[in-house]
Amino acid sequence: MLLNLRIAFGLCVRDMLVDWRMSLCFILGLTAVLAPLIIMFGLKTGLVDGLRDRLLSDPRNLEIVIVGSGQFDADWFKALAARPDVGFVKPKTRAIAATITVTVPRESGLQSAEVADLIPTGIGDPLLEGITVEKPSDDRLAVVVSARLAEMLNLTLGEEIGGVVTRQRGGRRELGPVDLSVSAIAPAGLTTRAAIFVPVSLMEATESFRDGYGVPAFGWEGPDRPSERIYYAGARIYAKDLASVTTLHSHLTDAGLSVRSKASEVDGLNSFAESLTGGFLIIAFFSVIGFLVSLTASLWSNFERKRQATSFLRLIGMRAVGLIAIPIYQAVIIATAGFAGALATFFGAAIVIETVFADIGASVEGDLVVLKAMDISIFFAVTLGISVLASAVSSYGLSNISPAEGLRER
């Protein structure tokens, strides 16, 4: 059988070279069908991925903001963090208690001071992703300062600073000092506020101190806080990904909370992507059907034209498997050459599109036309499958050709 297949491949190549005009028409026809589809798919992928990457490039687009204050206990945060669509969540204290005076000693003996907002942070904070946090050499509390605060106080990485929490109790002004270390400076685009990212423990201590209680862990004096259930006024919530923004927004809204998010922008992007995908699939479906019918008819006509020559092959001893292999080999060669031509056309068109529509490419912050290696593999596999299917359908009767058929016609 292997000998028959080798002979069939040689006959296939010779036949295509002799009838090269017909073979070229098949290849160009396939290229003409595939090239627009691949270009359209590349445009769809480039536009959608570019817009999606633009949203993902700013982690603030994943944030769900609770409007106003509420009462959320530890169980609420535990249940929320367990949801698969939640990427990060930390409790927030009351806004009035979430500030601290940052002090920086100067060589002149004076101190620079600025009031900064406290932002709760922890492992996995999307805003601080990729930022290297240096651990202090002593017992100072490591914090990340915003670019605005660093500019206001002229702070540098690793600098030792102080934090002071103030309160009025019994007619006296009391201070709660804490030693801090600038372990990182957040990029300017993350927040325009003068703020520091701190552990939740410091925010809890700040609120307790301002409520008139002592915080032994930080050495702040005052009466012990009653061992009652702790409630938080808000939360920093970030969805796991763009697709989760909408579901998380809906969950919090259904729970009776008033929230703000980028859910509408994400929904718009998803609708745009679905519309493009739907349009592409419709066009691709009819193009594939048209190509399948056209190629099947062309191959069938070609095989019928060579029916007498095929019967002589049976007469000299070629088995049916060899006869069927000839059109299949032709289909594989046509599919490969046609796909290569379509791919070359795609890359040429991509260069033209990227050049002509450079302004649009800059707005989506990426390439307008994108075709990944996996997409190329899938396109080629589908092209090969359709071509082989067309060949199989058109050559259905080859195995039944009688060796005497050619002699009768002769």
Side-chain angles (χ1 to χ4, degrees):
M1 186 175 72
L2 291 177
L3 178 61
N4 272 266
L5 292 177
R6 286 199 296 269
I7 294 174
F9 181 75
L11 290 173
C12 164
V13 173
R14 288 182 178 87
D15 179 61
M16 293 186 71
L17 290 176
V18 170
D19 202 359
W20 63 270
R21 292 180 179 84
M22 181 68 72
S23 302
L24 184 61
C25 287
F26 287 155
I27 293 172
L28 293 178
L30 178 56
T31 299
V33 171
L34 281 179
L37 288 178
I38 297 177
I39 293 171
M40 188 185 306
F41 182 83
L43 274 170
K44 180 189 78 70
T45 303
L47 284 173
V48 173
D49 287 356
L51 293 173
R52 184 176 285 113
D53 290 344
R54 183 179 181 183
L55 285 176
L56 281 175
S57 64
D58 187 351
R60 291 175 297 181
N61 291 323
L62 300 176
E63 186 176 12
I64 312 291
V65 179
I66 298 178
V67 179
S69 297
Q71 286 190 323
F72 310 102
D73 59 11
D75 292 339
W76 186 87
F77 282 98
K78 184 178 180 181
L80 187 64
R83 289 179 56 86
D85 52 2
V86 174
F88 179 81
V89 59
K90 287 293 178 183
K92 291 170 62 177
T93 57
R94 301 190 311 273
I96 196 171
T99 58
I100 192 171
T101 302
V102 179
T103 61
V104 182
R106 299 303 181 192
E107 294 180 358
S108 61
L110 301 176
Q111 285 189 337
S112 299
E114 291 289 346
V115 176
D117 295 329
L118 296 176
I119 301 176
T121 189
I123 298 174
D125 191 334
L127 290 186
L128 304 182
E129 185 177 357
I131 297 177
T132 302
V133 178
E134 297 185 0
K135 294 183 178 180
S137 57
D138 51 17
D139 294 333
R140 290 176 175 270
L141 188 65
V143 298
V144 178
V145 303
S146 68
R148 178 173 174 80
L149 182 63
E151 181 181 3
M152 292 169 66
L153 293 176
N154 196 25
L155 300 177
T156 58
L157 190 63
E159 187 170 353
E160 296 179 351
I161 60 177
V164 179
V165 182
T166 62
R167 72 179 179 192
Q168 293 288 335
R169 189 167 71 100
R172 292 184 307 160
R173 186 170 183 266
E174 296 180 339
L175 306 178
V178 58
D179 295 327
L180 307 174
S181 175
V182 180
S183 295
I185 298 175
L190 292 185
T191 178
T192 58
R193 296 149 54 187
I196 57 175
F197 295 82
V198 300
V200 175
S201 58
L202 179 57
M203 297 197 66
E204 293 174 338
T206 301
E207 186 175 55
S208 293
F209 185 73
R210 287 205 165 109
D211 286 343
Y213 302 109
V215 185
F218 287 90
W220 300 343
E221 297 181 352
D224 293 337
R225 189 182 188 98
S227 57
E228 57 187 12
R229 195 176 188 87
I230 299 177
Y231 289 93
Y232 300 93
R236 279 189 69 208
I237 306 172
Y238 288 82
K240 185 177 181 180
D241 48 40
L242 281 179
S244 300
V245 172
T246 302
T247 59
L248 188 54
H249 180 105
S250 299
H251 168 73
L252 295 173
T253 302
D254 293 341
L257 297 174
S258 176
V259 298
R260 293 197 312 266
S261 72
K262 296 290 185 177
S264 58
E265 287 86 341
V266 174
D267 287 340
L269 175 60
N270 291 335
S271 298
F272 177 65
E274 290 173 0
S275 299
L276 284 180
T277 302
F280 170 78
L281 290 177
I282 292 173
I283 295 173
F285 174 78
F286 286 105
S287 298
V288 167
I289 295 298
F291 171 69
L292 180 60
V293 173
S294 173
L295 184 60
T296 301
S298 299
L299 290 175
W300 177 79
S301 174
N302 189 43
F303 298 149
E304 285 295 318
R305 185 166 54 89
K306 299 175 181 178
R307 189 178 183 89
Q308 183 178 4
T310 304
S311 68
F312 275 112
L313 291 176
R314 288 299 308 273
L315 183 64
I316 62 177
M318 177 168 281
R319 297 180 179 179
V321 65
L323 293 177
I324 296 175
I326 292 176
I328 291 178
Y329 283 142
Q330 287 182 342
V332 171
I333 294 173
I334 290 171
T336 303
F339 184 79
L343 208 57
T345 304
F346 165 80
F347 286 118
I351 294 174
V352 174
I353 292 172
E354 296 287 355
T355 303
V356 174
F357 300 102
D359 293 342
I360 300 177
S363 66
V364 299
E365 300 178 359
D367 294 330
L368 277 176
V369 187
V370 175
L371 191 65
K372 302 175 183 177
M374 180 59 70
D375 299 330
I376 295 176
S377 301
I378 293 174
F379 265 109
F380 180 65
V382 171
T383 302
L384 200 60
I386 292 174
S387 299
V388 171
L389 177 62
S391 172
V393 171
S394 60
S395 61
Y396 175 74
L398 287 180
S399 60
N400 299 323
I401 293 179
S402 170
E405 186 174 331
L407 292 176
R408 285 197 305 268
E409 296 184 8
R410 171 77 61 174

